[in-house]
Amino acid sequence: MELTLNINGRDHRLSLDPRTTLLDALRDHLGLTGSKKGCDQGQCGACTVHVDGRRILACLTLAAAVQGRPVATVEGLAHGDKLHPMQAAFVEHDAFQCGYCTPGQLMSAVACVHEGHAHDRAAIREHMSGNLCRCGAYPKIVDAIEDAAPKMERG
Amino acid sequence: MADDAGRLYGKPEVRIDGAAKVTGQARYASDEPVANPAYAYLVTSAISRGHITGMDLAAAEAVPGLLDILTHETVGKEAKPPVGPDQKPTTTTLETTQVWHDGQIIAVVVADSFEAAREAAHRVVVHYAPETPSATFDSPGAEAEVRKTDEQHKDPAKGDAPAAFAAAPVKIDARYETPTQHHNPLELFTTTCVWDGPKLTIYEPTQTMYGLKAAVAKQLGMEPADVRTISRYVGGAFGSKGAATSRTVWIAIAARRLKRAVKLVPTRDQAFTIATYRAETRHHLQLAANRDGKLQALIHEGWEVTSRPSSYNVSGTETTARMYACPNIATKVNVVHADRNTPGFMRAPPDTPYMFALESGMDELAHELGMDPIELRRINDTQTDPVDGKPFSSRSLMKCFDAAAAKFGWAKRDPKPGAMRDGDWLVGYGCATSCYPSNIGPAAARLSLTPRGKAVIQLAGHEIGTGAYTTVAITVAGGLGLKVTDIQVFMGDSNLPPVPVAGGSNNAASTAHVAAKACEEIRQKLALAAVQNNAGIFAGADPSKLRLTDGALAGPDGRREPLETAVGRVAGGALEVHVENVPEGLPPDAAAGLYQGKMAMSRGTGRKDVTAYAFGAQFVEVRIHALTREIRTPRIVSAFASGTIVNPLTAYSQYMGGAIWGVSSALHEATEIDLREARYVNDNLADYLVPVNADIDHLDVIFVPEEDSRVNPLGIKGIGEIGIVGMNAAVANAVFHATGKRIRKLPIRIEHLL
Amino acid sequence: MRPFRYEHAADRAQALQLANGPREATASAHITAPIQYLAGGTTLIDLMKLDVMRPEVLVDINALAGQHGAIRADASGLHLGALARMADAADDLVVRRDYPMIAQSLELAASPQLRNMASLGGNVLQRTRCNYFRDPSWTACNKRHPGSGCAAMDGVNRKLAVLGASDHCIANYPGDFGVALAALGATVDIEGAGGRRVLAFEDLHRLPGDTPHIETNLKPGELITGFTVPAGPWTRRSLYLKIRDRQSYEFALTSAAVALDVEGGVVREARIGLGGLAAKPWRSHEAEAALKGRPLDEAAAHAAADAALAKAAGHGEATFKIELGRRTLVRALLQAHAMEV
Ligand SMILES: Cc1cc2nc3c(=O)[nH]c(=O)nc-3n(C[C@H](O)[C@H](O)[C@H](O)COP(=O)(O)OP(=O)(O)OC[C@H]3O[C@@H](n4cnc5c(N)ncnc54)[C@H](O)[C@@H]3O)c2cc1C
Ligand code: SF4
Ligand code: FES
Ligand code: FES
């Protein structure tokens, strides 16, 4: 089917099998491989992106179902060479190892702050629990979010 | 002045690939753009033993967009059988009609789109002649054999252990079990193959660029020179990507048949059966001591599951026999063949399961003796390898215990089981020894230095999360007297000089030493040219006294020559060297072997001069709800002494990740097997549990300083695996302390404590 | 995943029209009808990828959020639109204050991302996590293939049901929110080709009996438009306690939904649901009766728990859940009793 996806502020016209998930559309059809596939069944969070400003899982979302709605991916976080405060905090705190969960963690972390769920470590831990990190970077992810949250509010 | 390579060691340095990883620009294998790929989807067996008698492909072939279906009949003869992680025979896939295990690859469907390939794969109908399979230990038909000793595996022994055990006044005699576990790196086991005439390029996450290249070349009957592997970033590995697996050649063949790139992104459940895993183990441990706690006998017998054709085993008795001073030691390992896929390396393969037994046993013995478990370790601490009397290159075990105990607040522990409580929660403290042998391998690298003070180092290294790019950059910056930001590192491409498999925690040591050697070679070239140049400021000086520092060649008297001059003197543009490093104790041809994918390794336990291990102590507080018995771990403290720490920032992450793996292993991870069908059942990330963020609260890692000039010139021991090793027992010991219940079978779950 | 036609419904009327094709009348169950509604997709797309569900048409009902997405409380109770997202209901301040059990059942479920996607209507229709059901390479599953057997009966079944199971199927209902609805005596609003009807939530799901493939009393093509939780003096003193191996992002091993109306230490009314344990969202009238008129102390809590699980039957690994279920309920009752309201 023919459809238009709005990704990081840009419209993309695509011709897709109706079965195509948003994740596969991003990765295989648009070359936006920042969003990752870790399970393809909603169990890991590696594919987390924002639709209408809310974090969702791209692997369980049909591309067809997000036509006309703004989608934001990790590729859209930085402003040119300037990292988003959350990205900078992840680097600074070494909040990852292999980095495979990281795009999903970042999109979740930014949403976590916007949702108002980043007020203390316990809340951050709970509200970041939809993103598995097999490398076990969790404590540093929490450090990074605690550090970036006030900077996001200022910036 | 090779020491200069270590100049920047010990200072936290953010990852040079950090920006790439947080912007989505880091390319994992399945992110690499290839022109017009076709998509592959695997068909895997629904039985675990028997034969395929036929397949109905009509419905699959009718799916629009279908391009090809690879089966035993169409391509089975096009590849030679693979080898297992031990380089010996293993289970096959399309080569024959035989089914060795559940989830074995039996066909590969290729289509224009991922969606069409998946649909067609689901429409393949397979006919089997099934046989009754054996799932695991105790299953009818499982075949046990005593593992023979060979080059890889010994059975450490000393004195007369049975007699000493019989005679000793205090003893424990217990059996322990660890479950099947799967690595589940977050990245799937993807493969993309592209042909250019006779040349094949493989994009696949791997811990062994040259190993994969050699294995595929051999299976396809190709020249290794015609195979290139690319894996710039690996999305977690933990051993699962440490050896070639069956899938790769079939994707290569699919691409060759179609004359088109073919991309495979298998499913999560397929990850359980197309790669390796940690096999379940059993242990019989007998420990005996005098009343003062001094060990008199240690008898450790292990059992491990493997596939039918493979005898892969981990034999962690090599480690448990060496932990404590003990005059009488006996060990033995058995392998049990079942209808399963072949297991393989998983984070601290031998040490994790075997140390669970030993360190639980030590805790039981301490309890039996009425002694503090730390004191029991102290009494039996030793600076010489109890098996063969060689000195440990260094061993700071008790320093680790003391540092971690202080931080943890061990002194507050009421030794009586069940005595500590906080509201509705029972509280338990546990600790255990951690260790990992220090390994190092040969490696090669190409290094160039420009007159403007920029360096580029190239080596076929592996970034699996360890921070490998940064480790190398720090070493080169130190060695050449530059800033870390002046160094560019290229890895993850088999066109670059080879390094060993990124396993056995050898990575930092192996790559640092070759990088240091390359820097030294550049320094020597520059120094020699400088002293021979009569017009230069160093004319006639002693070249060995000249150092590269702060972007210049400097003399001991403080005189400095800019790199522009020093490099310009010897090279038109950049000065480039290609070096190979062979660690002491390895044969000189070890470097040549690397290019063939052969991985010689100087191992911590096989050396002539010393026994080399890193040591640590791990502490955990568990809380168990008095009524509903959920088990939580609010505090984890580990202290490690691993010689030189190259980059404390990434080292902390490695240790921390290891400790979290340990909690995961103790409380969560287990692959459930349907015993009737020998099939994995919970093969997904919602049912194969690993901790989530909310499970990990306070976690501390303490670096116990340690200088070890004997382990290797830079004093680097491994850090990647030691973090998990002590944790299983630490948790089990804490659960005992909280409840008085000794759980000897992992994982420990609510139902064991009701 | 089999091919399907994707349809977008602008409103309820169009949704009903699109979803009531000629074959819906003859389909054996709502969940296996060839036309399925697509809400959050977190159950449906997942099971389609696994080749377990094979609808031919998906009718996207997300645009119905305007009509059926509101969360509203009044004197009669709490009205929840079927297209409201789990996250919205969990975060709603009135729900949190007046119906804490409902909010907790939602916020303890799944993950933040899934709660942003999943609708309340889809949530109650989520399907069992029985691994043998979710993997068609297992041939024996009466729920997938009526008459084929039940691989879980003597297989890996740690998480499956100990209440309401049958010889044909021991799958458990995995959801949390539905347990709260059952406990509080909610009703469900349903629209179909034949018009509107209201069903007690307790009657929405069926026990497996010898037809485990028919999971609900919905007719093919019927649309859930919302739920009403009746007001009552017990809703404020209510909670949802979920026991699981890990701290978050896991289905319940056991759970208890408890609401109490306590006067002078004596229970006037109790509303009790059990999750993780049963073949459907489970209300324990037995436990409620055991508490009525008694002071709530440990003995009363234990008596209620014993009553709740009196008819439980274990299969293999799941047997421990009988005892764990009892303890979960005891803990939940004591905790609810201690609540400041
Ligand atoms: C990894 C994971 C973990 C989870 N953990 C939990 C958990 O801990 N607790 C928990 O309770 N749930 C959990 N869930 C389940 C999740 O809550 C459900 O999948 C979700 O609520 C379903 O809602 P949906 O809108 O996505 O439904 P969909 O997938 O869109 O629909 C499900 C079914 O309902 C039908 N349907 C949807 N809406 C209507 C309607 N209005 N009328 C009639 N039929 C309709 C659809 O046709 C489909 O058959 C988890 C899910 C995943 C993937
Ligand atoms: S328990 Fe039910 S869903 Fe599971 S295999 Fe048996 S019949 Fe199928
Ligand atoms: S890939 Fe979407 S949740 Fe794992
Ligand atoms: S950094 Fe590797 S999975 Fe999180």
Side-chain angles (χ1 to χ4, degrees):
Chain A
M1 62 192 287
E2 303 291 318
L3 50 85
T4 302
L5 294 181
N6 182 281
I7 319 287
N8 300 326
R10 258 191 63 196
D11 277 346
H12 300 264
R13 279 206 66 72
L14 289 167
S15 173
L16 295 177
D17 187 311
R19 293 172 288 187
T20 312
T21 61
L22 175 56
L23 180 61
D24 289 335
L26 291 169
R27 292 182 53 80
D28 293 339
H29 298 270
L30 292 167
L32 292 169
T33 52
S35 307
K36 298 290 185 256
K37 186 181 281 193
C39 69
D40 217 16
Q41 43 187 171
Q43 301 174 346
C44 76
C47 64
T48 303
V49 301
H50 297 181
V51 173
D52 293 328
R54 289 161 63 121
R55 50 173 155 163
I56 58 108
L57 301 175
C59 71
L60 291 184
T61 302
L62 292 180
V66 297
Q67 296 180 74
R69 299 160 66 193
V71 177
T73 71
V74 72
E75 286 93 345
L77 269 190
H79 282 287
D81 279 349
K82 189 162 160 35
L83 296 181
H84 184 282
M86 193 61 79
Q87 291 173 310
F90 266 59
V91 174
E92 205 59 39
H93 290 273
D94 208 43
F96 49 82
Q97 293 183 52
C98 78
Y100 198 78
C101 71
T102 309
Q105 301 280 2
L106 284 163
M107 297 313 284
S108 241
V110 169
C112 182
V113 174
H114 287 152
E115 291 161 7
H117 288 138
H119 45 86
D120 62 36
R121 290 184 76 89
I124 295 172
R125 282 163 50 221
E126 172 59 31
H127 288 275
M128 289 302 291
S129 282
N131 292 81
L132 301 185
C133 174
R134 184 54 161 154
C135 296
Y138 299 131
K140 292 185 167 193
I141 291 170
V142 180
D143 291 346
I145 296 174
E146 272 198 308
D147 185 0
K151 294 179 185 156
M152 277 172 64
E153 275 146 31
R154 278 203 301 278
Chain B
M1 306 278 275
D3 286 358
D4 278 348
R7 221 170 344 191
L8 301 175
Y9 287 178
K11 285 191 250 155
E13 194 69 56
V14 300
R15 293 172 195 251
I16 61 170
D17 50 346
K21 285 182 175 174
V22 297
T23 52
Q25 301 309 311
R27 285 215 174 109
Y28 300 81
S30 67
D31 301 342
E32 299 275 0
V34 293
N36 189 31
Y39 293 84
Y41 202 96
L42 302 176
V43 179
T44 56
S45 67
I47 65 163
S48 48
R49 181 186 172 101
H51 283 84
I52 294 163
T53 55
M55 291 193 194
D56 287 345
L57 302 179
E61 280 164 352
V63 170
L66 182 99
L67 298 169
D68 198 3
I69 302 180
L70 278 64
T71 64
H72 163 62
E73 282 184 8
T74 57
V75 300
K77 294 199 177 57
E78 293 185 27
K80 295 192 190 69
V83 291
D86 55 1
Q87 302 301 314
K88 294 182 185 154
T90 185
T91 56
T92 50
T93 52
L94 303 189
E95 293 90 345
T96 73
T97 58
Q98 184 159 3
V99 176
W100 297 94
H101 63 85
D102 164 39
Q104 173 183 314
I105 299 171
I106 53 175
V108 182
V109 174
V110 191
D112 265 326
S113 72
F114 175 68
E115 293 75 27
R118 178 174 56 197
E119 180 192 349
H122 285 154
R123 289 186 189 271
V124 170
V125 180
V126 185
H127 303 287
Y128 301 99
E131 296 160 25
T132 306
S134 314
T136 179
F137 297 127
D138 302 339
S139 297
E143 300 162 290
E145 60 172 316
V146 177
R147 197 264 293 115
K148 293 179 232 13
T149 59
D150 58 17
E151 266 313 292
Q152 278 178 341
H153 298 301
K154 309 270 183 278
D155 287 324
K158 176 168 108 172
D160 185 347
F165 182 78
V170 186
K171 46 192 132 190
I172 65 117
D173 184 330
R175 292 178 183 268
Y176 302 89
E177 280 187 49
T178 64
T180 313
Q181 296 178 333
H182 278 80
H183 317 75
N184 278 309
L186 209 48
E187 177 186 28
L188 294 161
F189 293 99
T190 71
T191 299
T192 303
C193 287
V194 186
W195 289 89
D196 180 7
K199 292 197 182 282
L200 169 64
T201 302
I202 303 167
Y203 301 93
E204 181 175 301
T206 182
Q207 297 169 263
T208 176
M209 305 294 321
Y210 272 74
L212 177 62
K213 169 189 167 99
V216 171
K218 194 163 173 200
Q219 276 191 275
L220 292 179
M222 294 171 63
E223 283 301 318
D226 287 338
V227 179
R228 179 180 181 190
T229 51
I230 295 182
S231 178
R232 297 184 173 100
Y233 290 94
V234 179
F238 316 113
S240 65
K241 296 160 181 169
T245 64
S246 298
R247 69 190 193 273
T248 316
V249 291
W250 306 124
I251 302 305
I253 289 168
R256 190 169 64 194
R257 283 161 68 94
L258 286 175
K259 301 191 169 42
R260 181 171 167 187
V262 172
K263 183 168 176 175
L264 169 73
V265 179
T267 60
R268 176 55 62 183
D269 68 312
Q270 290 169 346
F272 283 72
T273 60
I274 66 168
T276 64
Y277 61 99
R278 193 197 297 284
E280 56 272 39
T281 67
R282 284 180 173 176
H283 305 264
H284 183 199
L285 180 74
Q286 295 168 292
L287 290 176
N290 290 339
R291 296 213 183 279
D292 62 3
K294 279 228 178 321
L295 282 175
Q296 296 307 308
L298 179 157
I299 308 175
H300 192 167
E301 179 168 7
W303 289 260
E304 306 178 23
V305 162
T306 185
S307 64
R308 288 287 177 194
S310 168
S311 286
Y312 177 85
N313 64 90
V314 298
S315 290
T317 45
E318 289 265 13
T319 284
T320 54
R322 291 185 159 81
M323 266 321 94
Y324 301 109
C326 183
N328 301 289
I329 298 170
T331 61
K332 183 179 172 186
V333 173
N334 310 274
V335 294
V336 176
H337 298 273
D339 298 298
R340 297 273 299 282
N341 48 330
T342 302
F345 329 117
M346 181 160 156
R347 208 166 195 171
D351 315 275
T352 301
Y354 281 77
M355 284 291 279
F356 165 62
L358 178 66
E359 290 301 294
S360 295
M362 288 296 279
D363 199 70
E364 297 201 45
L365 185 63
H367 185 71
E368 216 38 58
L369 288 159
M371 188 178 273
D372 184 279
I374 301 177
E375 292 318 303
L376 179 63
R377 272 115 180 157
R378 197 183 312 279
I379 285 167
N380 292 292
D381 191 28
T382 170
Q383 292 297 324
T384 50
D385 181 330
V387 177
D388 51 27
K390 282 185 290 221
F392 282 107
S393 67
S394 61
R395 171 164 160 141
S396 313
L397 176 64
M398 292 323 296
K399 282 192 194 137
C400 291
F401 265 107
D402 292 338
K407 174 96 195 171
F408 184 81
W410 183 257
K412 293 199 292 277
R413 176 179 184 261
D414 180 337
K416 215 167 99 251
M420 292 172 71
R421 191 162 172 152
D422 181 6
D424 288 338
W425 295 83
L426 312 179
V427 177
Y429 290 1
C431 67
T433 294
S434 198
C435 67
Y436 195 77
S438 309
N439 306 320
I440 183 169
R446 195 157 49 228
L447 175 65
S448 70
L449 174 65
T450 71
R452 320 205 41 178
K454 303 282 180 201
V456 176
I457 181 159
Q458 297 174 296
L459 68 178
H462 314 86
E463 167 47 12
I464 57 176
T466 52
Y469 282 104
T470 314
T471 308
V472 172
I474 292 171
T475 306
V476 173
L480 297 181
L482 300 173
K483 294 204 249 340
V484 173
T485 45
D486 293 328
I487 317 301
Q488 257 191 303
V489 184
F490 290 94
M491 301 197 315
D493 182 341
S494 69
N495 278 358
L496 306 179
V499 306
V501 59
S505 296
N506 85 83
N507 200 49
S510 305
T511 58
H513 282 87
V514 76
K517 187 169 175 186
C519 294
E520 172 59 11
E521 202 158 307
I522 285 200
R523 188 201 65 81
Q524 279 178 15
K525 282 203 158 80
L526 296 180
L528 214 59
V531 300
Q532 286 168 353
N533 184 308
N534 291 332
I537 56 170
F538 295 127
D542 176 355
S544 74
K545 295 270 153 48
L546 301 187
R547 299 176 64 196
L548 287 167
T549 150
D550 297 322
L553 188 64
D557 53 3
R559 281 185 306 164
R560 303 165 57 80
E561 180 178 71
L563 279 185
E564 191 132 26
T565 320
V567 177
R569 183 181 289 130
V570 292
L575 169 60
E576 180 170 292
V577 296
H578 183 119
V579 299
E580 287 162 0
N581 181 56
V582 178
E584 222 182 286
L586 288 179
D589 68 353
L594 269 183
Y595 295 85
Q596 267 78 58
K598 295 200 187 75
M599 305 290 171
M601 191 69 71
S602 160
R603 296 186 185 279
T605 53
R607 294 169 56 148
K608 290 211 169 61
D609 49 350
V610 292
T611 293
Y613 271 85
F615 290 91
Q618 301 196 276
F619 287 68
V620 63
E621 173 184 327
V622 301
R623 289 186 171 229
I624 297 168
H625 194 273
L627 210 48
T628 43
R629 300 283 161 168
E630 304 105 292
I631 312 161
R632 301 291 181 251
T633 52
R635 287 196 310 131
I636 300 163
V637 177
S638 308
F640 302 104
S642 301
T644 304
I645 300 299
V646 175
N647 184 357
L649 186 68
T650 51
Y652 191 102
S653 291
Q654 282 281 292
Y655 285 144
M656 176 178 85
I660 292 172
W661 264 61
V663 171
S664 184
S665 170
L667 297 177
H668 297 297
E669 290 181 46
T671 309
E672 319 269 1
I673 305 170
D674 185 289
L675 295 177
R676 303 159 301 183
E677 300 291 336
R679 300 187 62 190
Y680 300 136
V681 178
N682 62 335
D683 48 3
N684 63 76
L685 290 176
D687 293 306
Y688 184 92
L689 295 180
V690 300
V692 295
N693 203 318
D695 285 302
I696 306 299
D697 196 350
H698 298 285
L699 188 148
D700 286 300
V701 174
I702 300 165
F703 294 76
V704 171
E706 183 180 70
E707 277 181 35
D708 186 337
S709 54
R710 291 195 283 192
V711 64
N712 52 49
L714 291 170
I716 299 173
K717 297 175 170 180
I719 57 172
E721 297 172 83
I722 187 171
I724 182 179
V725 174
M727 218 58 211
N728 281 310
V731 171
N733 297 342
V735 167
F736 173 74
H737 181 232
T739 63
K741 263 199 166 177
R742 176 65 64 183
I743 310 293
R744 300 190 181 87
K745 183 176 177 184
L746 299 180
I748 304 172
R749 288 187 166 158
I750 292 174
E751 53 264 48
H752 306 129
L753 302 176
L754 281 176
Chain C
M1 191 187 284
R2 307 289 156 129
F4 58 81
R5 200 172 76 237
Y6 173 83
E7 298 278 6
H8 180 87
D11 56 24
R12 185 182 70 225
Q14 196 186 4
L16 286 170
Q17 186 220 329
L18 285 166
N20 282 278
R23 283 160 58 213
E24 307 314 300
T26 56
S28 66
H30 184 262
I31 203 75
T32 48
I35 307 179
Q36 290 286 315
Y37 294 117
L38 173 68
T42 61
T43 288
L44 185 57
I45 302 298
D46 184 24
L47 289 174
M48 287 169 65
K49 283 184 182 180
L50 294 170
D51 211 25
V52 173
M53 287 181 72
R54 300 172 177 183
E56 293 158 21
V57 181
L58 293 191
V59 177
D60 187 333
I61 54 172
N62 287 291
L64 275 62
Q67 268 176 307
H68 298 292
I71 299 162
R72 189 169 56 79
D74 59 23
S76 71
L78 174 66
H79 308 280
L80 299 164
L83 270 303
R85 304 292 148 178
M86 290 170 74
D88 295 332
D91 287 345
D92 187 275
L93 293 177
V94 175
V95 179
R96 296 181 77 83
R97 188 193 61 205
D98 293 344
Y99 299 85
M101 177 208 290
I102 298 274
Q104 290 162 13
S105 74
L106 290 163
E107 76 187 355
L108 294 174
S111 72
Q113 294 95 311
L114 287 160
R115 296 195 293 270
N116 277 342
M117 300 168 75
S119 67
L120 299 183
N123 181 288
V124 301
L125 297 178
Q126 66 179 283
R127 309 194 67 190
T128 186
R129 307 295 294 193
C130 172
N131 293 113
Y132 298 98
F133 168 72
R134 288 171 54 83
D135 180 351
S137 71
W138 292 94
T139 45
C141 173
N142 289 326
K143 193 186 270 301
R144 241 188 311 105
H145 281 296
S148 62
C150 170
M153 196 68 73
D154 299 311
V156 173
N157 54 21
R158 176 171 184 259
K159 292 211 164 164
L160 302 190
V162 296
L163 284 168
S166 75
D167 291 347
H168 298 268
C169 177
I170 57 169
N172 66 332
Y173 175 80
D176 296 300
F177 171 61
V179 175
L181 292 180
L184 294 177
T187 55
V188 48
D189 300 320
I190 298 163
E191 298 267 355
R196 175 161 192 261
R197 64 183 179 122
V198 178
L199 204 63
F201 185 79
E202 252 193 292
D203 296 332
L204 178 65
H205 293 84
R206 296 160 49 114
L207 287 177
D210 56 7
T211 53
H213 61 292
I214 308 178
E215 298 178 348
T216 67
N217 287 317
L218 289 177
K219 298 192 200 75
E222 279 191 323
L223 177 75
I224 295 179
T225 56
F227 308 91
T228 297
V229 182
W234 47 79
T235 66
R236 276 203 175 194
R237 184 184 294 284
S238 74
L239 58 78
Y240 188 79
L241 175 66
K242 181 169 176 179
I243 306 299
R244 39 193 168 171
D245 299 295
R246 69 182 179 196
Q247 178 72 27
S248 188
Y249 201 10
E250 189 187 352
F251 288 93
L253 279 171
T254 60
S255 70
V258 166
L260 297 176
D261 175 15
V262 189
E263 176 80 26
V266 173
V267 178
R268 287 212 300 210
E269 287 285 344
R271 295 288 181 271
I272 293 174
L274 293 173
L277 291 157
K280 61 176 244 179
W282 196 260
R283 178 166 175 187
S284 180
H285 297 279
E286 299 85 347
E288 292 173 8
L291 285 175
K292 196 169 167 137
R294 279 185 73 168
L296 206 150
D297 52 16
E298 277 198 35
H302 279 281
D306 287 346
L309 285 129
K311 296 212 187 90
H315 292 270
E317 298 165 344
T319 307
F320 82 98
K321 294 198 343 182
I322 301 175
E323 176 59 19
L324 183 61
R326 276 194 204 102
R327 295 185 185 202
T328 306
L329 182 51
V330 169
R331 181 174 161 194
L333 286 169
L334 297 175
Q335 221 166 293
H337 184 58
M339 271 174 80
E340 306 265 348
V341 293

